[in-house]
């Protein structure tokens, strides 16, 4: 059935693609999202922020158009080969399916709940913690007007005042200044209780925790599900009593990815358990939006929807053979895991191996636009002290750090400070590394009459010998979007890399294990991104051409197939096409020799 397009529908869809705050939040399941998003779009369409987001949206649209074109040109053999690779990858992923008892516990509207606990007169009013610039948390009353976290406060205020346009009364949004000392005290009380059930629990923010309850349940992965649900309910009840009535929602599943999705199902003050086993997991995921999983952000969500018509986990699983053709191995493997409900985190393994979980530790702050040198350097110093404190708490020693700046036109730059191989784990060292970068950018900005509205400090590349103890930081796989999709480029280049690594970056990874030495095989045109190839220096393009067209001569073994410089035979053509589709060289050679034509060779390899 075709959905009729209207200006309001189009504006709402565009807002969802552009803004994080246009996506559904817990407690907003029955609001008129379409009308609310259309209002948000009308309020912001002329802003610099929206124009910057529209530029990124245009790039995603181009990507989706190229994906549709590529999918439309796939022949039956290419589709069969992709389906074959998907089946192989699925078998590999299924072998890693976990059956532990993982719980994710999340305070409901945490900052707002603490404020309402201390000020009961706010309970029935729309409340937002934050200000006109940005909202940190909104209570469930405010969410009925479409107000939510990550939304500019002035937009939230306008939504409350324009409630009659979408079936709500006119109201005034009550702003409360954040009091982090109170929030940290409540979080510490909860963490003391969490530690009784999982001493190695992970907490990546004040309002959320990841607990592996398997040991608490006697170490049995086949323990009674009712015991696990009772344990989760007990934790929530104890924290509620200890914090003066703050409620929590929880999710229980065989891995943390599923538990995280489940924690959002019965908000507020409820819990949900994901049944165990492949079929039960797929049934749980089938009709849920892909956006529900961490790692699928606005951009990737839009690419899936516009490029493949994919919105739900079930649709993603059905479409994996097509997705396989349009993303690089890293992204398609992540999407395949998401569609199957298989996690890639190693919470229980990290505690044994001592590996540091976070990929990076950092903080950023948004403020009124300025190019005042003293004000900006003071903000940098505050951030360096904050990040250094988090590093001390987690016993992490990063070797690299970067500075993120956002201008008042919402252009973002990120620069990494030069590393000397020594840890950058104190506020003084971080400031010494990053301040020159900031001062350079301040000088450039003043010359162009530009100002800054955000500073971020991030540390990464942790020293391998350091054991992580605190576990606070970004969870693996929680990046908003993976920008290495393979339609436009095959890898990133860096001007100061040596030539061979630069060339190697444009080839797909080999399926051989690191311990094996794969047989030499010439790169094929499909393994090289044509657009990137055109941008390379002439000498590197020539070297790639040499590799693709002139394989080394070697002594022919009995039964082996030679590469002929003359006119290719049918077997040569079949062999090359099989290699181009990703089949192993030995198997491809055998199929080409046995089969009368290319379709028959593909059939041999697939069956």
């Amino acid at each position: 059935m075709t959905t009729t397009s209207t200006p309001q529908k189009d504006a709402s869809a565009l807002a969802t693609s552009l803004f994080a705050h246009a996506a559904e939040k817990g407690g907003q399941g029955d609001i008129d999202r379409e009308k609310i998003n259309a209002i948000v779009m009308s309020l912001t369409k002329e802003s610099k922020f929206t124009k910057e987001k529209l530029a990124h949206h245009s790039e995603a649209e181009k990507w989706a158009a190229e994906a549709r074109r590529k999918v439309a040109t796939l022949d039956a053999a290419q589709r069969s080969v992709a389906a074959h690779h998907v089946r192989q990858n699925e078998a590999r992923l299924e072998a890693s399916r976990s059956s532990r008892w993982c719980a994710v516990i999340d305070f409901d509207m945490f900052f707002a709940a603490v404020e309402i606990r201390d000020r009961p007169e706010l309970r029935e009013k729309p409340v937002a913690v934050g200000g006109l610039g940005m909202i940190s948390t909104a209570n469930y009353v405010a969410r009925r007007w479409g107000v939510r976290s990550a939304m500019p406060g002035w937009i939230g205020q306008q939504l409350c005042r324009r409630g009659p346009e979408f079936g709500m009364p006119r109201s005034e949004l009550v702003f409360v200044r954040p009091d982090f000392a109170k929030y940290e005290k409540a979080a510490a009380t909860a963490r003391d209780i969490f530690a009784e059930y999982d001493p190695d629990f992970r907490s990546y923010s004040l309002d959320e925790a990841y607990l592996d309850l398997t040991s608490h349940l006697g170490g049995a992965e086949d323990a009674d599900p009712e015991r696990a649900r009772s344990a989760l309910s007990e934790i929530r009840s104890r924290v509620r009593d200890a914090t003066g009535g703050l409620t929590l929602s929880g999710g229980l599943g065989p891995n943390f990815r599923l538990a995280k999705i489940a924690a959002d199902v019965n908000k507020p003050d409820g819990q949900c358990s994901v049944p165990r086993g492949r079929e039960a997991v797929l049934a749980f995921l089938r009709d849920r939006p892909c956006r529900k999983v961490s790692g699928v952000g606005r951009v990737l969500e839009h690419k899936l929807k516009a490029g493949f018509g994919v919105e739900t986990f079930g649709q993603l699983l059905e479409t994996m053979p097509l997705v396989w053709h349009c993303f690089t191995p890293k992204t398609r493997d992540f999407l395949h895991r998401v569609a199957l409900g298989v996690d890639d985190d190693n919470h229980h393994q990290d505690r044994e191996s001592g590996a540091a979980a976070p990929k990076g530790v950092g903080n950023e702050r948004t403020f009124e636009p300025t190019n005042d040198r003293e004000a900006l350097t003071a903000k940098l110093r505050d951030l360096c002290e904050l990040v250094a404190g988090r590093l001390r708490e987690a016993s992490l020693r990063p070797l690299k750090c970067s500075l993120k700046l956002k201008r008042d036109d919402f252009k973002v730059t990120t620069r990494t400070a030069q590393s000397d191989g020594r840890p950058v784990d104190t506020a003084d060292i971080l400031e010494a590394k990053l301040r020159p970068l900031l001062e350079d950018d301040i000088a450039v900005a003043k010359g162009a009459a530009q100002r800054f509205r955000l500073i971020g400090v991030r540390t990464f590349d942790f020293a391998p010998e350091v054991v992580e103890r605190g576990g606070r930081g970004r969870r693996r796989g929680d990046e908003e979007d993976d920008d290495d999709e393979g339609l436009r480029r095959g890898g990133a280049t860096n001007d100061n890399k040596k030539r061979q690594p630069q060339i190697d970056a444009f080839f797909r990874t080999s399926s051989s294990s690191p311990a094996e030495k794969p047989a030499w095989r010439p790169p094929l045109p499909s393994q090289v991104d044509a657009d990137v190839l055109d941008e390379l220096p002439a000498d590197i393009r020539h070297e790639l051409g040499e590799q693709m067209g002139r394989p080394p001569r070697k002594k022919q073994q009995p039964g082996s197939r030679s590469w002929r410089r003359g006119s290719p035979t049918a077997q040569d053509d079949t062999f090359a096409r099989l290699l181009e589709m990703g089949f192993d060289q030995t198997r491809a050679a055998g199929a080409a020799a046995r089969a009368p034509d290319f379709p028959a060779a593909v059939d041999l390899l697939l069956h």
Side-chain angles (χ1 to χ4, degrees):
M1 187 172 110
T2 304
T3 303
T4 303
S5 176
T6 66
Q8 182 171 281
K9 286 181 181 292
D10 293 343
S12 177
L14 183 58
T16 302
S17 298
L18 297 181
F19 309 128
H21 56 73
E24 181 181 319
K25 186 78 171 172
Q28 294 184 325
D30 58 351
I31 67 174
D32 193 336
R33 171 59 64 191
E34 185 176 297
K35 289 183 179 178
I36 289 172
N37 280 355
I39 291 173
V40 170
M41 201 67 219
S42 69
L43 290 171
T44 60
K45 61 183 179 182
E46 298 300 327
S47 71
K48 293 179 181 178
F49 177 78
T50 299
K51 291 177 181 178
E52 177 68 12
K53 290 293 182 181
L54 283 170
H56 290 296
H57 181 73
S58 177
E59 289 298 315
E61 284 287 326
K62 292 177 183 177
W63 188 97
E66 176 63 13
R68 292 192 298 270
R69 182 203 63 77
K70 186 170 185 178
V71 167
T73 61
L74 296 175
D75 58 28
Q78 290 172 313
R79 290 171 183 258
S80 295
V81 169
H84 170 70
H85 290 315
V86 168
R87 287 193 297 271
Q88 283 189 322
N89 194 58
E90 187 164 318
R92 178 181 66 84
L93 294 178
E94 284 294 339
S96 68
R97 188 179 288 279
S98 170
S99 58
R100 299 182 71 81
W101 296 100
C102 300
V104 173
I105 304 176
D106 183 17
F107 276 103
D108 300 317
M109 57 176 197
F110 182 43
F111 295 175
V114 173
E115 299 299 340
I116 293 170
R117 178 197 64 184
D118 298 342
R119 296 176 59 187
E121 72 275 10
L122 298 177
R123 189 171 304 279
E124 301 302 323
K125 297 180 180 180
V127 174
V129 176
L132 289 174
M134 187 59 63
I135 294 172
S136 297
T137 311
N139 69 343
Y140 284 96
V141 176
R143 294 181 194 187
R144 293 164 56 196
W145 276 268
V147 182
R148 54 154 293 170
S149 58
M151 173 179 282
W154 66 271
I155 293 179
Q157 185 67 281
Q158 285 296 309
L159 288 175
C160 287
R161 291 173 179 174
R162 295 174 65 171
E165 297 180 33
F166 47 88
M168 292 293 293
R170 176 186 170 89
S171 186
E172 288 293 318
L173 185 61
V174 179
F175 290 103
V176 179
R177 291 179 63 86
D179 185 343
F180 286 97
K182 289 197 298 186
Y183 311 150
E184 289 170 355
K185 182 179 179 180
T189 300
R191 288 173 178 174
D192 288 341
I193 295 173
F194 296 154
E196 295 180 29
Y197 296 82
D198 177 9
D200 298 304
F201 79 92
R202 296 276 171 84
S203 184
Y204 303 95
S205 63
L206 289 175
D207 65 340
E208 189 177 57
Y210 293 74
L211 287 73
D212 187 339
L213 299 178
T214 309
S215 296
H216 175 76
L217 296 172
E221 296 185 357
D222 59 350
D224 180 9
E226 187 56 39
R227 283 187 60 209
R229 288 191 287 268
S230 295
L232 178 57
S233 180
E234 179 182 285
I235 295 169
R236 294 174 46 240
S237 178
R238 289 185 60 191
V239 173
R240 181 177 62 245
D241 294 343
T243 57
L246 300 182
T247 63
L248 304 90
S249 298
L252 192 67
N255 60 55
F256 287 108
R257 177 168 286 149
L258 292 171
K260 171 69 173 172
I261 297 172
D264 198 46
V265 171
N266 289 322
K267 272 185 166 289
D269 196 20
Q271 66 182 53
C272 173
S273 177
V274 181
R276 306 166 82 73
R278 171 189 161 88
E279 296 307 318
V281 167
L282 296 184
F284 171 80
L285 291 174
R286 184 172 296 117
D287 297 324
R288 300 185 189 277
C290 296
R291 183 73 176 267
K292 289 292 184 181
V293 72
S294 298
V296 178
R298 298 184 307 277
V299 176
L300 186 52
E301 178 191 42
H302 181 69
K303 288 177 178 180
L304 290 171
K305 182 177 180 180
F308 309 94
V310 167
E311 296 183 61
T312 67
F313 292 106
Q315 292 169 339
L316 177 58
L317 188 59
E318 292 174 359
T319 317
M320 273 309 300
L322 302 182
V323 170
W324 199 262
H325 278 282
C326 298
F327 291 95
T328 55
K330 180 180 177 182
T331 304
R332 68 195 186 202
D333 184 74
F334 165 71
L335 291 173
H336 206 175
R337 288 177 181 274
V338 164
L340 292 170
V342 177
D343 203 352
D344 52 3
D345 73 74
N346 294 300
H347 176 96
H348 61 284
Q349 293 179 10
D350 287 339
R351 67 182 66 180
E352 296 163 3
S353 66
K359 292 183 178 180
V361 172
N363 283 91
E364 57 187 45
R365 289 288 182 267
T366 301
F367 41 84
E368 288 296 319
T370 181
N371 58 12
D372 181 77
R373 180 175 176 274
E374 289 187 7
L376 291 170
T377 53
K379 293 180 186 299
L380 174 64
R381 176 67 191 185
D382 290 344
L383 282 170
C384 290
E385 290 178 349
L386 181 60
V387 172
R390 291 181 60 192
L391 293 171
R392 283 195 303 274
E393 181 182 342
S395 298
L396 293 171
R397 305 189 71 195
L399 301 178
K400 295 179 181 178
C401 58
S402 63
L403 176 71
K404 175 182 176 181
L405 293 170
K406 182 185 289 186
R407 302 197 310 246
D408 56 354
D409 61 358
F410 294 92
K411 299 286 186 182
V412 177
T413 60
T414 302
R415 299 169 64 191
T416 298
Q418 186 172 356
S419 172
D420 56 10
R422 290 180 290 185
V424 286
D425 55 353
T426 69
D428 289 341
I429 296 175
L430 285 170
E431 185 179 10
K433 290 283 188 180
L434 298 177
R435 185 164 178 167
L437 302 182
L438 175 62
E439 292 182 342
D440 286 348
D441 284 333
I442 291 173
V444 173
K446 285 187 174 181
Q450 294 170 337
R451 299 176 298 172
F452 297 102
R453 57 175 291 114
L454 176 147
I455 293 180
V457 171
R458 182 172 182 266
T459 59
F460 53 101
D461 194 10
F462 298 108
E465 72 275 8
V466 177
V467 178
E468 185 237 30
R469 295 183 304 189
R472 293 185 61 188
R474 184 182 291 266
R475 184 166 172 254
R476 291 182 189 177
D478 275 1
E479 288 75 10
E480 176 75 4
D481 288 299
D482 188 340
D483 289 326
D484 69 341
E485 289 84 349
L487 286 178
R488 292 172 297 161
R489 59 189 187 275
T493 63
N494 190 320
D495 291 339
N496 61 8
K497 288 183 179 180
K498 294 182 180 180
R499 177 178 299 171
Q500 191 57 43
Q502 186 179 19
I503 294 174
D504 291 344
F506 295 93
F507 294 88
R508 296 175 184 168
T509 56
S510 169
S511 60
S512 302
S513 66
E516 299 172 347
K517 184 176 180 181
W520 186 90
R521 141 180 171 186
L524 296 163
S526 66
Q527 294 175 293
V528 181
D529 188 303
D531 292 336
V532 176
L533 185 62
D534 290 340
E535 296 173 3
L536 292 174
D539 57 338
I540 294 181
R541 288 203 308 271
H542 175 73
E543 189 167 340
L544 283 170
E546 289 288 306
Q547 290 185 26
M548 287 189 285
R550 300 179 186 174
R553 291 183 176 274
K554 61 180 181 179
K555 182 178 179 181
Q556 298 299 313
Q557 300 297 324
S560 68
R561 305 189 68 258
S562 62
W563 289 78
R564 290 178 268 277
R565 291 183 178 274
S567 300
T569 66
Q571 283 189 348
D572 286 328
D573 180 63
T574 295
F575 178 55
R577 292 176 68 183
L578 292 175
L579 287 182
E580 195 168 328
M581 288 185 170
F583 285 109
D584 174 76
Q585 183 178 9
T586 302
R587 295 183 64 222
R594 292 164 53 201
D597 52 30
F598 173 69
V602 171
D603 190 62
L604 277 174
L605 288 168
L606 295 181
H607 303 96

